[in-house]
Amino acid sequence: MVSWDSDQPIPHLFFHSLIVDEERAFDGDGMSQGYRDYMVTVDEFQAILEDLYERDYVLVTMDDIAQPNADGTMTYQDLPLPPGKKPIVLSQDDLSYYEYMDGDGFADKLILDEQGDVTNTYVQADGETKQGSYDMVPLIDDFVQEHPDFSYHGNKGVLAVTGYNGVLGYRTSESEYGPDSNQPNPDLEADQQQAQQVAEAMKADGWTFASHTWGHLNVQETSLARLQTDTERWKNEVAPLVGDTNAIIFAFGSDLSDWQPYHGAKYEWLRDQGYRYFANVDASTEAWKQLEPEYFRQARINVDGMRMREALQGQTDVLDPFFDVEDVYSDKR
């Protein structure tokens, strides 16, 4: 085994929900362009996994890279890998299967199958419900089962969840779906219990959860008061289901500052709430990370239709180390 030096790059790629049915996603309605810009398809994602594996990447999570020591100071961890292997973090934003996606060719929730494995339900265009691997979590689970050396200590990736539409495809928010809300969910308690069971199974199988803020906030633009209310709501409505987390992945690619160390009231609030891992979006370079005594921050590259189009047009080469965009890109886009 060879230790990965702390000064070496560790890239972080992220995805949104995967498109299963391109015809429904790209049907020309008002959502089609957004799906083209911000999503990748199941077939594209599977091809990306193959390329990452063939290029000797190994899945790690942010707490494999750095952890607090006994006095709470964040410290880089020893990361021993087989010779030639390279660490990479994968994450998925908005693992909530939002209501706006209904009928557009996406999976609609994560469930446990008869063996206790995490899988998706997916409603076909003809209305038939299928159960299988239709999104990032079960697809990576399948891939790691076939290629165990793709995962460091069984770790899979980071899942960033909001709360306003519930989590994992379940309408679990008390404020949005409770009995006093505008759209009460008669199965609220059952949905909460099922979401919690699925989340526990996912954590036991190498997945970690991060806050994406309850309301998908732009932390740079929002007020401190709104951020505080939102954080408390995430802790009240989401944490009981997916577990407490010390990681926050910012929505809209926002951040609390530029490359300089964090400071100010918003950072102090999040720090005091227990957050130690932070992730923004920066596709200007292959990898960027920052270790400070109180936190670890990592930049993520968005892998989506927009970024792949830029690569095909010669406007960026940031995806070149990871996969061949021309081979991956769907001709149905």
Side-chain angles (χ1 to χ4, degrees):
M1 306 293 277
V2 178
S3 290
W4 192 261
D5 291 337
S6 60
D7 60 349
Q8 292 181 281
I10 302 179
H12 186 154
L13 308 183
F14 85 94
F15 303 81
H16 289 98
S17 296
L18 304 180
I19 296 166
V20 184
D21 186 343
E22 294 166 85
E23 290 187 3
R24 282 193 285 167
F26 305 146
D27 61 1
D29 66 9
M31 300 301 300
S32 295
Q33 191 59 49
Y35 295 149
R36 285 192 177 91
D37 286 345
Y38 301 116
M39 314 299 201
V40 303
T41 71
V42 166
D43 289 344
E44 289 172 335
F45 182 74
Q46 289 179 305
I48 290 170
L49 286 185
E50 292 285 354
D51 271 10
L52 290 173
Y53 180 69
E54 290 175 2
R55 298 183 187 198
D56 291 320
Y57 285 102
V58 176
L59 298 179
V60 302
T61 56
M62 289 191 289
D63 56 2
D64 289 324
I65 303 170
Q67 290 187 20
N69 60 23
D71 68 0
T73 302
M74 295 296 288
T75 306
Y76 280 123
Q77 300 298 292
D78 185 36
L79 194 57
L81 298 171
K85 295 293 187 179
K86 301 169 290 188
I88 190 170
V89 181
L90 298 187
S91 62
Q92 185 172 27
D93 282 5
D94 303 303
L95 191 60
S96 301
Y97 302 104
Y98 294 131
E99 291 176 330
Y100 75 80
M101 298 160 62
D102 288 349
D104 282 347
F106 295 86
D108 62 1
K109 68 175 60 174
L110 288 163
I111 64 171
L112 300 180
D113 64 15
E114 294 179 353
Q115 289 74 43
D117 295 325
V118 178
T119 184
N120 292 114
T121 56
Y122 168 68
V123 181
Q124 297 185 139
D126 62 7
E128 182 181 357
T129 299
K130 295 283 190 178
Q131 185 173 348
S133 300
Y134 294 105
D135 203 2
M136 177 171 157
V137 169
L139 287 169
I140 287 183
D141 288 344
D142 294 345
F143 196 87
V144 170
Q145 186 173 9
E146 185 177 354
H147 307 285
D149 56 330
F150 187 51
S151 168
Y152 178 72
H153 292 175
N155 291 336
K156 306 287 181 58
V158 189
L159 305 167
V161 292
T162 57
Y164 68 92
N165 255 184
V167 297
L168 311 183
Y170 299 90
R171 305 304 168 218
T172 56
S173 168
E174 292 278 356
S175 54
E176 296 298 306
Y177 302 103
D180 298 327
S181 68
N182 293 327
Q183 45 181 348
N185 175 9
D187 302 316
L188 180 67
E189 289 187 10
D191 276 8
Q192 290 171 338
Q193 292 173 0
Q194 291 179 28
Q196 186 179 29
Q197 291 172 359
V198 174
E200 289 296 328
M202 292 164 67
K203 289 187 290 184
D205 202 25
W207 294 96
T208 63
F209 285 93
S211 170
H212 203 43
T213 72
W214 181 89
H216 204 269
L217 296 187
N218 185 321
V219 293
Q220 189 172 25
E221 297 180 358
T222 195
S223 67
L224 174 62
R226 188 180 179 197
L227 177 62
Q228 291 171 328
T229 299
D230 182 274
T231 306
E232 291 168 351
R233 187 166 286 180
W234 197 97
K235 288 180 175 287
N236 290 334
E237 293 192 351
V238 183
L241 306 180
V242 305
D244 292 327
T245 183
N246 56 6
I248 184 165
I249 289 176
F250 294 124
F252 295 106
S254 186
D255 204 347
L256 298 172
S257 73
D258 56 17
W259 60 269
Q260 300 178 74
Y262 287 150
H263 63 279
K266 291 179 185 177
Y267 165 65
E268 292 169 1
W269 162 256
L270 292 173
R271 178 200 62 197
D272 292 346
Q273 297 305 301
Y275 291 108
R276 295 294 180 266
Y277 298 90
F278 299 83
N280 57 14
V281 176
D282 181 356
S284 66
T285 185
E286 175 186 341
W288 183 86
K289 62 186 188 297
Q290 180 183 68
L291 185 74
E292 295 292 328
E294 292 183 333
Y295 68 85
F296 172 73
R297 175 163 53 152
Q298 189 176 34
R300 307 183 302 153
I301 298 172
N302 52 309
V303 182
D304 51 28
M306 183 167 51
R307 187 66 62 215
M308 290 194 292
R309 286 199 305 272
E310 290 177 354
L312 291 174
Q313 295 165 4
Q315 298 173 359
T316 181
D317 59 2
V318 72
L319 298 177
D320 288 356
F322 310 114
F323 60 94
D324 188 320
V325 177
E326 190 170 350
D327 287 347
V328 164
Y329 195 78
S330 172
D331 59 6
K332 296 180 181 179
R333 282 184 171 276

